[in-house]
Amino acid sequence: MVKRITIILLLIPILIAAQSTEEKDEYITVDNISLNKRVYKVKVKNFQREFKAKICTSTIDSCHGPTQGFNHKILPQMLADAIIDFTIKSGVDSAFDNDSLVRPEERVYLEQLLDKVNSLIENDKSEVQKTTEGVDKFVDEDAATIVLKDKTKFLINSPSKFERQKYYRNVDTTHTHQKENLILNNAVIVFFNNKASAISVEATIECKNSQEHEIIELYNYKYSIPLRAFNFYDNASKLVRVKYVLTGQAKNGEEIEVHVNDIFDYKNIGEKNKGNFGFSIANQRFRLANGENESNSYKVVQRRFFDFFTAIIYSDLMGFNTENSNSLINAQADLIMPLNLGNWAKLTALKQFKLTANVALNNSFENDSRFINFSDTEMVSHFDLMKKNNLNAMIGVDVLSFESKGWFSTYSLGYNLGFYRTGFQYSNTQSSDQDVITKGQVLSISHGPYVNFEFRPQDNFGADIMLSLEEFNLNDQLEVNERDFRDDIIIQDQSNSFLVKHNLVNVSTNFYWLTNPGKTTGGVYARVGVAYHTASDAIFPQVLVGYATNLTSFVNRFKPKSSTTPDENK
């Protein structure tokens, strides 16, 4: 009882930390500065690759801002100029209307602000973030530059006669946009697991027969778009070629289609072969615009190792019953690596590679319900090798996937290969008072196909439902007291031959919830699952609740990148 209470008390702070909200002011005070003999307070807020600032009057703490985003490596002189310019233009002080009013000593002190900002941001990082950055020491590197073009051509699908009569009775359908141009105004792109999961483009149709131009919105509402499609991507199979398009509808009912590579350029960074270029990029959201004060290009960031990886600490609620074999406290590591090796519109071949490793932290020899315990000539159920494992790992590959974009879902057919380690204790009864005890570990493997349903709405929530058929068997050569573990101790059960040979049916549902998406990538991880042993009709249920450090591969929501000045990204 004392152990259970202790474990619960350890979990409570983790869950409370995960539930922290954004109600507090996320702009942290850095320092007080002086401009034109007036004192102001500078507050900053850190984003992934930049920070923003607010300028506040010291008397009533009335803040102006935020400013534009500043790179952490900006020159101190440039930051000082930008702060002065913002203070003048935002009207913080009507008497301060010219940068010539800044005294030399005030500018010198202001140029020290960048070091103080970076120091404050470093100290404000969580311990988990510092640890992962210490292991993964590579700094963010740009993978490529995405450029929004100025103008493009488009294809037209005219409405049918029935559609004209039913939907466009009061619309002039005699005019066609055939051979007209499309002016590209702005675009928002969301990259998720190496695909553009959402693209929205605002464009203007240059109407030849009218002085009024028509505004139209283009979307990729049919499917997500792989990165290679931005560069005239053809699949490995020459039998099927797909041109990925954005689609919108004009007022006259015509469907406008534009190839994605006619809207964007995905270019190498740097001159000739000196720059970076790659298709493995971090999940991110940003805006491009052909406007006077906005940039039409953006440097997308390469994905680092810890972007693929998440660590999870969770409790199996079934473990509160000491008669169950479920481990109360578990540590898990998940690795998801997007591949997207072949793409045909909604179909993807070899979508992703998955690795899961799980350790039962309290599944030891202290409780005989959590290891195999037998004596003399007793035999052990084959299912106990899985139920009472203390270490397992699973490797899976989504072989073929189908995307249902309207349902924010992807359905995948894949194959799993699993590994399990299980502890045992054998008691050899002796004529004397004390028995001979033998303890050890045995290894098992499993393999089989699965069907997975991914649900990834553009929200702080995600879910998976998986059904798998697995052939689970002991894979160890071991003798205990001259008894062969495989032949004399384990009860060999007949496998089921329905669809594929199997003796386990696994059904599980995983839930992922970002508790504070504006501040952290961590959140709640929950799982409800059951394993069914076909030979003995036995089941092994699990109800898991815990905290995951990084849910960026499971939840399609993250902080947007802010618009920058035109010269900053070029």
Side-chain angles (χ1 to χ4, degrees):
M1 184 65 182
V2 174
K3 182 187 288 187
R4 295 184 196 176
I5 295 174
T6 303
I7 292 171
I8 293 172
L9 292 176
L10 289 172
L11 282 176
I12 288 175
I14 297 176
L15 295 178
I16 291 176
Q19 296 291 341
S20 61
T21 64
E22 298 181 6
E23 293 179 359
K24 62 179 183 179
D25 185 7
E26 291 187 351
Y27 280 84
I28 307 171
T29 301
V30 181
D31 198 2
N32 292 328
I33 61 171
S34 173
L35 297 173
N36 192 27
K37 301 182 181 180
R38 296 287 183 93
V39 178
Y40 304 100
K41 184 185 297 182
V42 179
K43 292 185 174 184
V44 297
K45 177 180 177 181
N46 184 41
F47 295 86
Q48 184 179 0
R49 302 181 66 214
E50 63 184 17
F51 65 90
K52 294 183 180 181
K54 286 184 178 181
I55 309 299
C56 310
T57 58
S58 302
T59 52
I60 59 175
D61 204 25
S62 175
C63 296
H64 295 253
T67 63
Q68 68 182 64
F70 299 113
N71 190 285
H72 295 283
K73 297 181 180 180
I74 189 175
L75 293 175
Q77 298 85 350
M78 291 180 63
L79 178 62
D81 290 339
I83 293 294
I84 293 171
D85 185 64
F86 175 80
T87 306
I88 295 172
K89 292 182 178 179
S90 60
V92 176
D93 184 354
S94 58
F96 181 44
D97 58 0
N98 195 309
D99 60 359
S100 63
L101 299 175
V102 180
R103 295 179 298 171
E105 60 270 24
E106 291 177 334
R107 178 177 285 276
V108 170
Y109 189 83
L110 186 57
E111 290 177 359
Q112 301 172 13
L113 183 65
L114 181 62
D115 290 336
K116 297 177 182 179
V117 169
N118 287 333
S119 176
L120 181 68
I121 291 172
E122 183 65 27
N123 293 333
D124 193 50
K125 290 179 179 177
S126 66
E127 291 301 320
V128 172
Q129 189 175 0
K130 290 179 181 179
T131 302
T132 55
E133 288 181 357
V135 178
D136 187 12
K137 295 182 179 180
F138 293 102
V139 298
D140 286 340
E141 292 188 5
D142 298 323
T145 299
I146 291 186
V147 180
L148 176 65
K149 297 181 180 180
D150 297 327
K151 186 182 294 188
T152 187
K153 297 288 186 179
F154 54 88
L155 301 175
I156 288 177
N157 293 321
S158 300
S160 64
K161 184 177 180 181
F162 171 78
E163 290 174 331
R164 289 194 184 98
Q165 293 175 350
K166 186 173 182 180
Y167 302 111
Y168 303 103
R169 290 181 179 179
N170 301 321
V171 177
D172 180 15
T173 58
T174 59
H175 169 70
T176 178
H177 294 298
Q178 194 74 35
K179 296 184 179 181
E180 294 180 341
N181 290 324
L182 198 66
I183 301 173
L184 303 173
N185 302 330
N186 59 71
V188 175
I189 305 178
V190 177
F191 283 126
F192 180 67
N193 287 349
N194 273 12
K195 280 189 174 184
S197 63
I199 300 179
S200 172
V201 177
E202 180 191 278
T204 302
I205 303 175
E206 286 186 312
C207 301
K208 294 181 179 179
N209 300 328
S210 173
Q211 293 182 350
E212 295 183 3
H213 295 334
E214 181 179 339
I215 302 295
I216 188 172
E217 296 284 342
L218 304 173
Y219 304 96
N220 64 324
Y221 71 89
K222 296 179 180 179
Y223 39 65
S224 297
I225 299 178
L227 285 177
R228 293 178 180 86
F230 286 77
N231 281 346
F232 294 94
Y233 171 61
D234 285 334
N235 293 278
S237 170
K238 298 301 180 182
L239 299 177
V240 182
R241 292 172 180 258
V242 176
K243 291 293 187 181
Y244 290 89
V245 298
L246 304 186
T247 307
Q249 194 163 47
K251 293 179 181 179
N252 63 358
E254 291 179 331
E255 185 180 72
I256 306 298
E257 287 188 351
V258 189
H259 294 160
V260 66
N261 48 272
D262 290 334
I263 298 178
F264 303 101
D265 279 330
Y266 192 84
K267 300 169 61 177
N268 177 38
I269 296 175
E271 297 179 359
K272 297 183 179 179
N273 297 323
K274 297 180 180 180
N276 292 333
F277 186 80
F279 290 113
S280 180
I281 66 172
N283 295 341
Q284 51 202 296
R285 175 186 175 189
F286 54 91
R287 170 186 164 92
L288 305 170
N290 288 313
E292 186 175 335
N293 297 317
E294 292 187 275
S295 175
N296 71 333
S297 66
Y298 189 86
K299 294 178 181 178
V300 290
V301 183
Q302 285 184 0
R303 205 164 189 183
R304 307 195 314 180
F305 171 77
F306 274 100
D307 292 331
F308 301 106
F309 174 84
T310 184
I312 305 170
I313 181 76
Y314 65 83
S315 175
D316 190 339
L317 302 186
M318 301 296 293
F320 281 101
N321 183 348
T322 56
E323 295 182 0
N324 289 339
S325 59
N326 304 63
S327 174
L328 188 58
I329 300 297
N330 301 266
Q332 181 171 306
D334 280 2
L335 181 71
I336 291 188
M337 185 170 293
L339 300 174
N340 300 319
L341 295 186
N343 301 275
W344 301 271
K346 298 182 179 182
L347 287 176
T348 300
L350 298 179
K351 174 178 176 284
Q352 61 189 10
F353 165 84
K354 299 180 288 187
L355 172 64
T356 299
N358 182 82
V359 180
L361 298 181
N362 76 321
N363 198 343
S364 65
F365 290 101
E366 298 175 7
N367 190 326
D368 60 7
S369 66
R370 290 172 183 162
F371 61 90
I372 297 175
N373 189 14
F374 60 101
S375 60
D376 298 330
T377 59
E378 290 180 348
M379 299 188 73
V380 177
S381 170
H382 169 265
F383 195 34
D384 284 348
L385 293 172
M386 199 277 289
K387 289 170 56 180
K388 299 184 178 184
N389 79 86
N390 52 56
L391 173 66
N392 65 76
M394 189 73 69
I395 298 174
V397 177
D398 290 353
V399 178
L400 187 64
S401 302
F402 176 82
E403 181 181 18
S404 178
K405 193 163 179 60
W407 292 91
F408 303 103
S409 300
T410 302
Y411 317 120
S412 299
L413 176 63
Y415 204 87
N416 273 334
L417 175 63
F419 154 84
Y420 298 84
R421 189 188 71 178
T422 310
F424 71 88
Q425 178 176 288
Y426 172 72
S427 301
N428 186 10
T429 305
Q430 302 292 317
S431 56
S432 59
D433 293 336
Q434 190 170 3
D435 297 339
V436 177
I437 305 297
T438 303
K439 295 181 179 180
Q441 307 278 351
V442 291
L443 304 179
S444 307
I445 61 170
S446 68
H447 63 92
Y450 66 82
V451 178
N452 188 51
F453 302 88
E454 282 187 9
F455 182 59
R456 299 289 186 267
Q458 290 176 355
D459 202 347
N460 60 340
F461 173 80
D464 294 319
I465 301 175
M466 178 180 285
L467 170 65
S468 65
L469 304 177
E470 298 178 22
E471 178 71 6
F472 178 82
N473 290 301
L474 177 68
N475 191 47
D476 214 338
Q477 297 293 332
L478 183 66
E479 285 191 359
V480 179
N481 194 28
E482 298 183 352
R483 296 179 65 195
D484 186 80
F485 214 96
R486 180 192 298 272
D487 298 329
D488 300 329
I489 297 175
I490 296 297
I491 300 173
Q492 295 294 335
D493 296 310
Q494 184 104 21
S495 296
N496 195 308
S497 298
F498 177 70
L499 296 180
V500 294
K501 186 178 180 181
H502 67 277
N503 50 31
L504 282 182
V505 179
N506 281 307
V507 181
S508 63
T509 303
N510 295 340
F511 301 96
Y512 319 98
W513 177 34
L514 275 178
T515 53
N516 198 347
K519 183 72 175 177
T520 178
T521 59
V524 173
Y525 165 84
R527 179 183 181 185
V528 179
V530 63
Y532 170 67
H533 191 228
T534 60
S536 61
D537 286 334
I539 64 171
F540 176 58
Q542 288 184 304
V543 181
L544 315 177
V545 179
Y547 183 78
T549 59
N550 176 25
L551 292 176
T552 54
S553 294
F554 304 92
V555 177
N556 189 2
R557 178 172 175 177
F558 26 85
K559 294 176 290 187
K561 304 300 177 187
S562 304
S563 299
T564 56
T565 57
D567 296 331
E568 185 175 336
N569 265 323
K570 290 186 178 180

